[in-house]
Each structure stands twice: as structure tokens, then as C-alpha cells.
């Protein structure tokens, strides 16, 4: 059903799910084969019965009395019931297998995305990630649902050829040749027309969702600057690309349907003369068996039409789930931090401040430290090891991080806080108190269960920042890393937040690395470094700025 093998990792996941769902897939295949046989026999027998009954009626009352119509009519009813029941079993079993497989596949792919190197995972936009985890995984569904198509086609071909052969062996042979021609033409049309269109549909879907996600993220700015029409035009342009791909796929389906119709006519035209000399009812049986023989390939044609999308989806998913290329090394045994600026070994509860002009590299340095960017050699050391030789996961475990750009999920305050790890309500409220956000949450009738909206749109900028700060407080790590934690806060709220931060650090014995343009946060620090920019080899250049006694 595919024109190339599955990429390795996704192929292994799909193969594992096929194995897990093999009983349902076998049941669906048996149902499909039964449907094909019942349909061929039903139509062939109906043609024979109607023609035979008509001839008996013309021959006179004696022939009518001799004609046995009870057995054929009962058999026709049986075949109709059998076809309906088998179709139900095929659809239910096939789709149940697909849905259960996809329900297990999506979490595995999300885990694969989350475990890729940070530079790779964070480079994927939210819209593109959504397209791959939704549309691309949905396209893979055909690899399960359509597994019964070859069995149904095989059973339909065999039963139709056998029925036609009962009228004349030559008729059976002509039908086999016509069905072979139909299958070959369908494969050719699928490769030339349907496969490229299907692949383009998947790519265009990702491009559209990527564009819509980017526009949605800046929708307030677009409204403020009166760019609504421009944004609508950008979305329409991306949607037009998807429309063109879907039209091309529909046209490919139309050509394949037209080919099937032409082959059906050719098969009937070839089978009828081949039954010359056979009784007229047998000729009718052979002609209608030819129609059902070509029709039995409909499932395969449908699978071929969707094959391009499935192949492209597996390729895109495999790129998403590619094995980590990050260098693996020894994990640090201590949280001792050494910066290239002076070579001193610093350990919690030391508090370290980073200052410098905007764009100098302060955020770049801490993101390299915590494992959100690829590290540069000889820039910093953790536990005596160069951070470039430590896997991002091992670096990340040493830090609790509140970024400058706070990201929130479209859920409740509780759900956003629990991203840091399990905690009871008392602990959650304590973190909100230290972030000066508890009063705001208590004022909401739902409290911790109040929803924040997409990326926290129901909160103000300062409230979003403090919720991110509270979430960082809940993570147990040797170092607390804060990037502009009081930006956008009024002086009174800033003083409240910093006083609570000082108390929290003293109680926990936690180290602090803080980035800030404001003087108040860096007054908490024992040491301050100034970030001067990047060196030619990409390292962040630091100079020791200030050192004061421990408080």
C-alpha cells in the first residue's frame, strides 16, 4: 500500500501498534473478505435468478411451476444479511484498532518531541507541532483502517472470477485480465496524481496551521495597528495553498473513479462474448460478477488515494521523532557552577546576578546553562564538567527556571502550577503568597481552579509573570534561575516579591541566578557579573562587576 518503507522510528511504533491490535485487524480483514464474497455472490446470483425467472415466465406455466425460486430467493436474503453484518464488523473492528493505536501513538510521539535536543524541539512552531500531532497522525489512520482492503480485494477477485468461470472458463480469464488492468492503472494514477497531491495536502496543512498560530499569537498587536485585513489576507493565502492541494487530490480521485468505470465497462464487454453458448442466466451471472469483481477493488483504490498523505505523514512524524543527536556525557555529581569570567567555583546558597545591555547575551547564557540551548565549550562548568559535555536533561535537573517570556497552558491556575511537579494545595498557596499572587487568586470564586485562558490571556502581564515565578518556586532544584522576574511590576509589588524571595532562598538554602535590568533584584545577590556580548567563537563574554559579603 505504500511506495516506500516506513521511516525507522515511526515505522517501529506503527508496527508495534499493529501487533498490539492484531486481533481486531484480523477480524476487520475477515469481515472485509466476507463482504466482498457476499457482494459478488449476491449480485451474480441475483442476475441469474432474475434472468432465469424471466425466461421461465416466457416459457409458460409448466416452466414456471418447475422453476425453483424458493432456494435462490432465500440465498439472496442470506447473502444480503451476511454482507451487512460483515460490513459492520469490518468497520467497527478496523476503526477501533485504528483509534486505539493512535491513542497510544500520539503520547509516544509527543514524548519523542519533548526528548529531542532543545534547539530542535523549540524550533518547531506550535502550529506545525499541532499539525504533526493531529493531522499527520490522523493520516496514519489509513494504515490501520485500510489493512482489510487487500483481503477484501483478493476475496472479491477470486469469487468473481469463479462465478464468471462457471459460465465459461474464458469469461473467468477475461475478468481476471480486466481486474489486473484496473489495478495496474489505479496504481499508476495514484503514483502520478494522488501521491503528490496527498503529500502536498499534509505540507500545506502544516503551513496553514503554522501561519494561523503565528497570527493568533500577535492578534492584540494586529488589532492595535489596524492590520486585521492584512492578517486575513495572510491566512487566506496560506489557506489557498491547502485548497489547491485538496482540489488536486479530489481531481486525482475523480480520474481514478473514471478509470474504474471504464475498466468495468471493458470487463463486461469482454466477459459477455466469452460466455457465448452458455445459458442466458449464466451470462447474466458472469456479467454482474464482472461488475462486482471491479467493484471489489474500490477499497484498494481508496487506500491508494490516501497513500501519498500517509507516506508524507510518516516522513514528517519520523522527522519529529528522530533520535536525539545531543552529545551524551557524564552527569554532574554536584551543583557547583564555574563561569569563564573568573574561574571561581560557586555553589548554593550563593546568589548570582547577571546585568548588561539588552541583547548582550544574558538570556542566551542562562538558557545554555539550563539546557534550553546547545551549549558552547569553555563557557561554563557544572560539577567540574564542561556544560557542552553534559546532556541537556542532566543540566536541566539542576535548575528551576522562570523565563522572561512566560508560557502558560490553556487550563486552570492549579494545572499551570503543577507543571513543576506534584504538590498539595497548601504548597501551591505558599508559592502564590511568595509570588504576591495569592490575593488575586483568592478573589476569584474558583480559586485555584480558575482558568487562565490561552497562554494566560485572562491575566495581566504582571500576573502572568508572577504565576510563572510561583511555578518555578515549586520545582525542587539546587539553583533558582529568574529572567527579569519583576519586569512590569510596580515598586510596591516588586518589593513584596523580592522580600518573599529572600526569605524563601534563606529557608531552602537554594542558589539564585537572576537576570535583571532593574537595580532592586540584583541587590539580593552576593556576586554580580556584567554580560558584554558574544566572542567571535560564540561564547558569552563576562566581567566580574561586584562582590559583596553574604547576608
Amino acid at each position: 500500500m505504500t511506495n516506500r518503507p516506513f521511516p525507522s522510528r515511526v515505522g517501529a511504533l506503527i508496527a508495534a501498534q499493529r501487533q498490539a491490535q492484531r486481533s481486531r485487524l484480523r477480524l476487520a480483514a475477515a469481515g472485509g473478505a466476507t463482504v466482498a464474497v457476499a457482494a459478488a455472490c449476491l449480485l451474480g446470483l441475483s442476475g441469474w435468478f432474475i434472468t432465469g425467472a424471466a425466461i421461465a415466465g416466457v416459457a409458460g406455466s409448466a416452466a414456471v411451476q418447475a422453476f425453483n425460486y424458493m432456494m435462490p430467493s432465500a440465498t439472496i436474503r442470506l447473502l444480503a444479511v451476511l454482507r451487512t453484518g460483515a460490513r459492520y464488523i469490518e468497520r467497527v473492528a478496523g476503526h477501533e484498532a485504528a483509534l486505539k493505536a493512535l491513542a497510544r501513538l500520539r503520547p509516544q510521539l509527543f514524548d519523542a518531541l519533548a526528548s529531542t535536543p532543545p534547539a530542535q524541539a523549540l524550533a518547531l512552531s506550535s502550529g506545525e507541532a499541532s499539525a504533526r500531532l493531529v493531522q499527520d497522525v490522523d493520516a496514519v489512520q489509513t494504515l490501520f483502517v485500510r489493512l482489510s482492503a487487500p483481503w477484501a480485494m483478493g476475496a472479491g477477485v477470486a469469487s468473481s472470477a469463479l462465478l464468471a468461470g462457471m459460465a465459461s472458463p474464458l469469461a473467468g480469464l477475461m475478468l481476471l485480465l480486466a481486474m489486473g488492468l484496473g489495478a495496474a492503472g489505479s496504481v499508476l494514477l495514484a503514483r502520478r496524481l494522488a501521491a503528490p497531491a496527498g503529500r502536498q495536502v499534509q505540507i500545506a496543512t502544516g503551513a496553514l496551521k503554522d501561519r494561523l498560530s503565528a497570527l493568533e499569537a500577535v492578534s492584540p498587536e494586529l488589532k492595535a495597528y489596524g492590520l486585521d485585513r492584512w492578517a486575513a489576507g495572510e491566512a487566506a493565502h496560506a489557506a489557498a495553498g491547502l485548497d489547491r492541494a485538496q482540489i488536486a487530490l479530489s481531481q486525482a480521485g475523480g480520474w481514478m473513479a473514471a478509470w474504474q468505470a471504464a475498466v468495468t465497462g471493458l470487463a463486461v464487454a469482454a466477459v459477455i462474448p466469452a460466455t457465448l453458448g452458455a445459458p442466458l442466466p449464466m451470462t447474466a451471472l458472469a456479467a454482474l460478477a464482472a461488475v462486482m469483481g471491479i467493484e471489489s477493488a474500490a477499497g484498494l483504490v481508496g487506500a491508494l488515494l490516501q497513500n501519498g498523505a500517509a507516506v508524507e505523514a510518516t516522513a514528517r512524524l519520523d522527522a519529529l521523532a528522530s533520535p536525539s543527536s545531543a552529545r551524551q556525557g557524564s552527569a554532574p555529581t554536584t551543583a557547583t557552577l564555574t563561569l569563564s569570567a573568573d574561574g571561581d567555583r560557586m555553589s548554593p546558597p550563593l546568589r548570582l546576578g547577571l546585568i548588561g545591555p539588552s541583547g548582550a547575551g544574558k538570556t542566551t547564557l542562562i538558557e545554555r546553562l539550563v539546557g534550553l540551548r546547545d551549549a558552547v565549550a569553555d563557557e561554563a562548568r557544572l560539577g567540574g564538567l564542561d556544560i557542552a559535555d553534559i546532556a541537556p536533561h542532566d543540566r536541566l535537573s539542576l535548575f528551576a527556571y522562570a523565563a522572561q517570556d512566560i508560557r502558560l497552558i490553556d487550563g486552570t491556575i492549579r494545572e499551570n502550577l503543577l507543571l513543576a511537579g506534584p504538590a498539595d494545595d497548601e504548597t501551591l498557596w505558599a508559592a502564590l503568597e511568595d509570588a504576591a499572587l495569592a490575593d488575586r487568586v483568592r478573589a476569584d470564586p474558583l480559586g485555584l481552579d480558575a482558568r487562565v485562558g490561552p497562554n494566560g490571556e485572562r491575566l495581566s502581564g504582571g500576573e502572568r509573570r508572577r504565576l510563572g515565578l510561583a511555578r518555578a518556586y515549586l520545582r525542587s532544584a539546587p539553583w533558582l534561575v529568574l529572567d527579569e522576574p519583576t519586569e512590569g511590576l510596580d515598586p510596591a509589588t516588586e518589593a513584596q516579591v523580592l522580600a518573599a524571595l529572600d526569605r524563601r532562598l534563606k529557608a531552602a538554602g537554594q542558589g539564585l541566578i537572576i537576570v535583571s535590568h532593574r537595580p532592586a533584584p540584583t541587590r539580593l545577590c552576593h556576586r554580580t557579573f556584567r554580560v558584554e556580548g558574544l566572542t567571535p567563537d560564540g561564547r558569552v563574554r563576562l566581567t566580574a562587576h561586584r562582590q559583596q559579603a553574604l547576608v
Side-chain angles (χ1 to χ4, degrees):
M1 291 170 59
T2 60
N3 54 17
R4 66 176 179 176
F6 291 130
S8 57
R9 192 169 184 184
V10 171
L13 294 177
I14 292 174
Q17 291 306 317
R18 281 181 174 176
Q19 182 68 15
Q21 303 298 327
R22 62 185 181 276
S23 59
R24 293 184 178 88
L25 293 174
R26 288 172 180 170
L27 183 60
T34 302
V35 168
V37 173
C41 293
L42 176 61
L43 192 59
L45 180 59
S46 297
W48 174 89
F49 180 58
I50 293 171
T51 305
I55 293 174
V58 172
S61 59
V64 171
Q65 295 296 325
F67 185 76
N68 182 2
Y69 63 87
M70 295 296 294
M71 184 61 70
S73 62
T75 305
I76 288 171
R77 292 189 181 92
L78 173 63
L79 290 172
V81 172
L82 184 62
R83 183 183 63 173
T84 302
R87 177 69 75 188
Y88 177 79
I89 292 173
E90 179 201 12
R91 294 295 172 86
V92 170
H95 283 83
E96 185 178 13
L99 293 175
K100 286 183 177 294
L102 300 190
R104 291 171 174 83
L105 194 59
R106 280 195 175 94
Q108 291 174 319
L109 290 169
F110 184 84
D111 179 67
L113 171 62
S115 63
T116 56
Q120 177 180 335
L122 298 179
L124 197 66
S125 71
S126 59
E128 183 65 28
S130 172
R132 299 200 186 191
L133 291 172
V134 179
Q135 275 76 22
D136 287 345
V137 174
D138 283 344
V140 171
Q141 181 177 200
T142 187
L143 302 177
F144 295 90
V145 174
R146 298 295 183 179
L147 281 176
S148 61
W151 296 94
M153 180 180 176
V157 166
S159 57
S160 299
L162 181 61
L163 290 174
M166 292 172 62
S168 165
L170 180 58
L173 177 61
M174 296 302 293
L175 179 55
L176 286 174
L177 291 175
M179 289 188 288
L181 179 63
S186 295
V187 170
L188 181 61
L189 288 172
R191 289 181 176 177
R192 294 289 181 86
L193 300 177
R199 289 195 293 268
Q200 190 57 40
V201 165
Q202 296 305 116
I203 295 171
T205 300
L208 175 60
K209 297 199 74 170
D210 179 48
R211 195 60 179 151
L212 290 176
S213 176
L215 293 172
E216 190 275 336
V218 294
S219 56
E221 288 80 2
L222 294 174
K223 291 180 181 178
Y225 287 97
L227 295 175
D228 304 64
R229 290 188 177 180
W230 173 84
E234 289 291 301
H237 179 72
L242 177 59
D243 290 342
R244 287 191 296 269
Q246 290 176 328
I247 289 171
L249 184 60
S250 297
Q251 289 175 337
W255 281 111
M256 294 174 73
W259 171 250
Q260 286 295 107
V263 172
T264 300
L266 179 64
V268 173
V271 165
I272 290 178
T275 62
L276 187 63
L280 191 57
M282 296 303 296
T283 299
L285 182 147
L288 293 178
V291 173
M292 284 311 303
I294 304 300
E295 180 65 24
S296 65
L300 181 61
V301 172
L304 290 172
L305 185 62
Q306 300 177 49
N307 190 52
V311 170
E312 180 63 29
T314 53
R316 286 160 54 86
L317 292 173
D318 195 66
L320 181 73
S322 60
S324 173
S325 59
R327 286 191 293 168
Q328 303 296 317
S330 301
T333 56
T334 68
T336 302
L337 172 64
T338 304
L339 296 178
S340 58
D342 60 357
D344 289 347
R345 296 167 66 89
M346 298 172 285
S347 300
L350 186 82
R351 302 176 190 176
L352 171 65
L354 298 176
I355 62 173
S358 178
K362 302 182 296 297
T363 298
T364 297
L365 176 61
I366 61 175
E367 286 183 349
R368 287 174 179 173
L369 280 175
V370 304
L372 296 180
R373 287 180 185 259
D374 292 334
V376 177
D378 299 324
E379 187 172 67
R381 303 179 74 84
L382 284 170
L385 302 174
D386 194 309
I387 60 170
D389 295 325
I390 304 172
H393 174 77
D394 293 325
R395 276 180 273 151
L396 190 60
S397 64
L398 299 177
F399 301 96
Y401 179 45
Q404 182 177 3
D405 183 17
I406 300 298
R407 298 285 181 170
L408 302 175
I409 62 173
D410 185 7
T412 65
I413 292 175
R414 184 195 310 276
E415 290 168 342
N416 276 279
L417 290 174
L418 292 178
L419 291 176
D424 56 28
D425 282 6
E426 182 179 357
T427 304
L428 299 183
W429 283 112
L432 291 172
E433 288 283 0
D434 289 343
L437 193 61
D439 291 342
R440 161 68 175 82
V441 177
R442 288 194 184 96
D444 193 297
L446 296 177
L448 292 173
D449 294 317
R451 302 193 67 84
V452 302
N455 202 27
E457 66 177 17
R458 296 182 183 177
L459 305 176
S460 69
E463 289 168 347
R464 292 176 68 254
R465 188 171 300 278
R466 282 177 283 158
L467 183 57
L469 183 61
R471 184 167 60 193
Y473 286 163
L474 292 168
R475 179 175 169 85
S476 178
W479 292 97
L480 176 63
V481 182
L482 306 178
D483 193 352
E484 302 289 358
T486 61
E487 188 72 21
L489 302 184
D490 60 83
T493 304
E494 179 184 49
Q496 183 181 356
V497 168
L498 293 178
L501 174 61
D502 182 55
R503 292 192 303 269
R504 193 175 188 96
L505 292 173
K506 288 178 178 177
Q510 194 174 29
L512 174 68
I513 302 174
I514 192 168
V515 173
S516 182
H517 287 95
R518 300 163 71 115
T522 56
R523 294 194 190 105
L524 295 177
C525 299
H526 307 133
R527 303 194 64 179
T528 306
F529 288 86
R530 183 176 182 83
V531 180
E532 306 288 353
L534 299 180
T535 65
D537 60 357
R539 291 186 293 115
V540 174
R541 186 170 59 249
L542 298 172
T543 57
H545 181 69
R546 176 171 57 82
Q547 183 170 348
Q548 64 185 47
L550 298 181
V551 293

